């Protein structure tokens, strides 16, 4: 048994979701046995911080690539070279493109969007969310090799000692069909990227217009949260598209999701209902979102949010 994880690097260090994948692999290794080997691409600083989360070996391809076909070749080559039978990748934008391709290359079974570590009782079984997170399915993989893509924020970061030995790795990545000319991070102002955020303040059409987002941004800033929005808000252009959460947007699992002036349509809930605690602020007591809320405030956002902001500030000052 041997486990291979793909972890993304940013500025030489594993990203938060990369570390979550390593944490997941370490926990899986306690069930499945074997070492945890990580495959990375691009410049790495030391062990990229992954040894502290259970990485025994880190294979580093110095050539950085974000092309999904090249990454597929890299991960598949590393899996073949290490003889890994379990390959773990994040179920993020990159992982959704890479994981199924790796599975095809290795003739492996795949569980996309796992939310728990595998169990090995009566076969290799993994739980995943289905029906937009409304139910959980336990999938049994019968093939000799398997690819598991894990839902971001479903497992968290868990420190665990690993040897953290770094070795260089080379594979024929082939030409990239897509050339990245420029890379612009979605949050240039140093704010937290939405998929990695633990706290999220989100708002919908109930806010009436983009000029009213100041209080949402301020609340998010005070809480150290990321901002999000419903789909019509980004469709109309009140907020950028990378903030749109839901079935057709980003699916998130923060610890706290505050929804302001959002009705709670099923397509919105599909991307946020796995949040640990949901707080809904809506002036309509019949808004569907209240059914999914842990805490609900029936009231006008323009009265409630400033009061909440005041309370957060005074809590922080004392
Ligand atoms: C195929 C498909 C995919 C979709 N994917 C997504 C998706 O990924 N994400 C998504 O969000 N939507 C998605 N939608 C759209 C979805 O169905 C809803 O239309 C959308 O979520 C509604 O956005 P909203 O709640 O901001 O606006 P509205 O439905 O207009 O609701 C506004 C809410 O604000 C409340 N409100 C109004 N004024 C105030 C105030 N002053 N204070 C407090 N509350 C107030 C109202 O009571 C209401 O509940 C999709 C739809 C389809 C058909």
């Amino acid at each position: 048994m041997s486990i291979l994880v793909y972890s993304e690097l940013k500025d030489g260090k594993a990203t938060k979701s990369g570390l979550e994948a390593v944490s997941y692999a370490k926990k899986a290794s306690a069930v499945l046995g074997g070492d945890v080997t990580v495959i990375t691409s691009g410049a790495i600083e030391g062990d990229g911080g992954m040894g502290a989360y259970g990485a025994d070996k880190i294979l580093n391809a110095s050539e950085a690539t974000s092309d999904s076909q090249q990454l597929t070749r890299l991960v598949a080559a590393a899996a073949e070279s290490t003889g890994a039978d379990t390959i773990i990748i994040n179920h993020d934008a990159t992982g959704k493109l890479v994981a199924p391709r790796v599975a095809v290359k290795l003739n492996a079974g795949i569980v996309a969007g796992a939310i728990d570590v595998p169990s090995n009782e009566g076969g290799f079984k993994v739980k995943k969310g289905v029906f937009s997170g409304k139910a959980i399915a336990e999938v049994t993989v019968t093939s000799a090799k398997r690819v598991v893509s894990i839902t971001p924020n479903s497992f968290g970061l868990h420190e665990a000692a690993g040897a953290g030995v770094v070795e260089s790795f080379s594979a024929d990545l082939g030409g990239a069909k897509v050339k990245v000319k420029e890379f612009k991070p979605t949050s240039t102002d140093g704010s937290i990227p939405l998929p990695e955020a633990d706290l999220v303040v989100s708002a919908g059409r109930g806010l009436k217009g983009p000029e009213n987002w100041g209080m949402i941004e301020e609340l998010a800033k005070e809480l150290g949260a990321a901002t999000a929005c419903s789909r019509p808000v980004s469709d109309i252009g009140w907020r950028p598209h990378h903030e749109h959460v839901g079935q057709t947007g980003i699916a998130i699992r923060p610890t706290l999701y505050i929804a302001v002036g959002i009705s709670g349509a099923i397509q919105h809930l599909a991307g946020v209902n796995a949040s640990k605690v949901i707080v809904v602020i809506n002036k309509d007591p019949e808004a569907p979102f209240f059914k999914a809320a842990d805490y609900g405030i029936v009231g006008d956002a323009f009265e409630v949010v400033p009061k909440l902001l005041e309370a957060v500030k005074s809590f922080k000052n004392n």
Side-chain angles (χ1 to χ4, degrees):
M1 291 275 183
S2 147
I3 299 176
L4 179 79
V5 194
Y6 169 68
S7 170
E8 194 185 16
L9 296 176
K10 193 176 169 225
D11 301 328
K13 303 260 185 246
T15 58
K16 185 187 165 209
S17 43
L19 290 179
E20 187 177 27
V22 175
S23 289
Y24 180 96
K26 181 67 179 172
K27 193 82 174 179
S29 75
V31 178
L32 306 172
D35 286 348
V36 174
T37 303
V38 184
I39 177 75
T40 57
S41 98
I44 188 166
E45 229 178 74
D47 69 358
M50 292 175 278
Y53 290 85
D56 295 305
K57 196 193 281 181
I58 295 130
L59 302 176
N60 178 241
S62 55
E63 190 185 337
T65 179
S66 56
D67 176 74
S68 55
Q69 290 181 329
Q70 289 192 315
L71 282 174
T72 300
R73 290 185 202 113
L74 180 69
V75 175
E80 269 158 8
S81 138
T82 56
D85 47 24
T86 305
I87 293 95
I88 291 165
I89 302 177
N90 267 294
H91 194 61
D92 54 12
T94 304
K96 283 177 191 171
L97 294 170
V98 173
R101 289 181 165 132
V102 170
V104 169
K105 269 191 178 293
L106 300 178
N107 199 18
I110 180 166
V111 182
I115 54 167
D116 204 355
V117 283
S119 118
N120 217 6
E121 278 169 35
F124 183 95
K125 292 180 182 162
V126 190
K127 288 190 178 125
K128 62 171 277 180
V130 288
F131 302 123
S132 299
K134 281 194 173 296
I136 294 171
E138 191 174 54
V139 181
T140 304
V141 185
T142 53
S143 53
K145 293 189 180 186
R146 49 261 168 156
V147 175
V148 179
S149 65
I150 59 165
T151 300
N153 280 338
S154 62
F155 187 70
L157 303 185
H158 304 273
E159 288 190 21
V165 176
V166 182
E167 285 179 14
S168 58
F169 184 80
S170 63
D172 179 10
L173 301 187
K177 285 199 175 155
V178 175
K179 288 229 185 309
V180 178
K181 281 177 141 179
E182 194 183 11
F183 181 72
K184 278 192 190 167
T186 47
S187 62
T188 46
D189 55 355
S191 57
I192 306 144
L194 186 53
E196 300 206 345
D198 202 33
L199 309 174
V200 175
V201 180
S202 186
R205 214 150 39 178
L207 251 69
K208 319 287 183 221
E211 66 281 5
N212 296 323
W213 246 264
M215 63 182 185
I216 299 296
E217 286 173 325
E218 206 183 338
L219 180 60
K221 194 164 164 235
E222 284 299 325
L223 292 170
T227 48
C229 68
S230 64
R231 177 172 151 172
V233 160
S234 62
D235 282 350
I236 318 163
W238 292 358
R239 297 297 292 176
H241 273 289
H242 64 77
E243 286 196 357
H244 151 208
V245 289
Q247 185 187 334
T248 45
I250 301 173
I252 54 171
R253 285 175 82 96
T255 304
L256 174 67
Y257 183 70
I258 303 179
V260 185
I262 301 179
S263 60
I266 189 155
Q267 296 89 355
H268 185 84
L269 291 177
V272 305
N273 64 4
S275 309
K276 286 202 179 74
V277 175
I278 297 178
V279 177
V280 169
I281 301 168
N282 197 304
K283 69 176 185 185
D284 175 8
E286 301 296 323
F289 220 148
F290 283 121
K291 291 202 182 87
D294 296 286
Y295 300 94
I297 302 171
V298 179
D300 190 320
F302 298 97
E303 288 168 21
V304 177
V305 175
K307 281 188 184 151
L308 195 57
L309 191 53
E310 212 176 285
V312 171
K313 281 182 179 167
S314 104
F315 179 80
K316 281 173 75 181
N317 288 337
N318 294 315

